[in-house]
Amino acid sequence: MQRSLLMTALGAAVFAAFPIAAVAQGTTGRPAANPAPAVETAIASGATVRVDSASPRAAVQGFLIATRAGDFGAAAEALDRDAVPAGRGSDLARRLKSVLDAHLWVDLDRVSPFASGDTADGLPRDRELLGEVPDGSGRLQPVRLARVERDGATRWVFSEATIREIDSWYATLPDNWVREHLPEALLANGPFDVLWWQWIALLTLIPLAIVIGLVFAAPTQSLLRRVVSKTSNEFDDALVSAAWGPIVLLWAMASSRILLRWVALAAPAQAFVVGLQKSLAIVAAFWIILRSITVLQDALPVSAWASRHPALRSLIPLGGRITRVLVFALGILTLVASFGYPVATILAGLGIGGIAVALGAQKSLEHFFGSLSIGVDQPFRVGDWVKVDGVEGGVEAIGLRSTRIRTLDHTVVSIPNGRLAEAPAENFGERERIRLRAMLGLEYGTSSATMRVVRDAIEARLRAHPKTWPDRVVVRFNQFSASSLDLELFCWIETTDIDEFRAIREELFLAIMEIVESSGASFAYPTSTVMLRTETVESRKSKVERLSS
């Protein structure tokens, strides 16, 4: 069950994370491969805005389109020519693109679409702030655009100050050595604007992180066992033994987090992978909680607490199932919240949808609340021998929907808890002794004196048995039946073991047979007397003559 819960949680994590990545790619302003040439329209805040071909947004968009296509020579046109050393235009454009991918994923909707730029940003009219990136010391430095005259026209380009810092910014990238030595094919953009070499690195990172997790899991468990061995209870020892899977997952996530730094993904891809790592860490945490519930469920029935509260022992399996369901639901909500989804809105929607679900799942809810009723009222517990709804057998399990009873034929009957909560239940497990009752029939030829001798001898024999409850032993002449004189005997045998009861009953019945035989009496058996009357021909003729006259 825990494995299925884990796989469901992992699926929920990926499902929740993927839209985040998709939205990040779509709202960052990363242009399509074939945008409109110079002038286009953009939708911003619900209003249609015309993008000027000489605007900062058009300049940045052209740079991003060219670099995404791998045409760094065309991308160099977006740099200030006066600040670019001879022959380095394409190289600086490539490096600037790497810096922007790693630290400043440009949102085109925030870049001015007007040729005049943003006149309300407090900067000089010929300057536009694109964003900030960290330098080698961790301080943020601005990435700016400048408005220049080129070829008789006014246009926006990356400023001279920005171009001077490109090399130093690029040197701080953890993967700059890789970018300088890999072939161009691996430096091209793959799906979701992730470079092909980064895709290869990510696919290599996954099995590597798993191997690291497997290697470090055993030493971690050994260290934890040393720590918990100093405690007096065995719960923490069992929990450490059961936590191997979550420990592997946590080590894998930690190692992948460290290794991910050297991949230097673009900001949205980095955010997606980090979010996925966080979600898997949450899965590991809740996995440990689920394992703790299982260990506690196994430990409680044999604990001192259970011996002091035997009536609550049967609630442990049911409580474990309910707790696991609640923890699983809380884990799903935590995963959803970690990706920025509004949990309150989701819960409100579930509340409204819950009404429709409740109407369509009345029977399931009835059985669930029936299980709660059985757990609280405890008409029977696991292990009890019961007779309920016409089924007799031992209670094997009390689930959230049904209760399973093992019959004398060794078949299993599942009864829905909703019906079971309303049905009369006879619990043989609650009795402290078992009743012995029989009706003895003696022949009609038995004398009253013999009847008294048999009666007293049987009562004495019943009272003499060590397992007979002495407070109530009844042996009485009961009735004159059709073919016998009936003696009723009744007593309690002080045992709850049905097999022991059967052995004692056999012993007593054999002793009663000896008493009857030694007294000279005999057991009666059903008999009937048939009286036959013959009629002659002459008597029949005379009867006819009398009737005719």
Side-chain angles (χ1 to χ4, degrees), residues 2 5 224 228 233-247 250 283-301 316-317 319-321 323-325 327-328:
Q2 288 182 354
L5 291 177
L224 291 176
V228 301
N233 64 80
E234 298 180 356
F235 170 76
D236 45 12
D237 299 274
L239 179 58
V240 170
S241 299
W244 184 83
I247 292 174
L250 286 173
V283 169
F286 278 92
W287 192 3
I288 292 176
I289 296 175
L290 290 174
R291 285 293 178 90
S292 303
I293 296 171
T294 301
V295 171
L296 186 62
Q297 181 178 335
D298 294 338
L300 277 180
I316 295 174
R321 292 188 183 95
T323 305
R324 276 192 288 269
V325 170
V327 169
F328 177 70

Side-chain angles (χ1 to χ4, degrees), residues 389-402:
D389 205 21
V391 178
E392 182 177 352
V395 179
E396 282 205 341
I398 302 174
L400 293 179
R401 183 190 177 277
S402 63

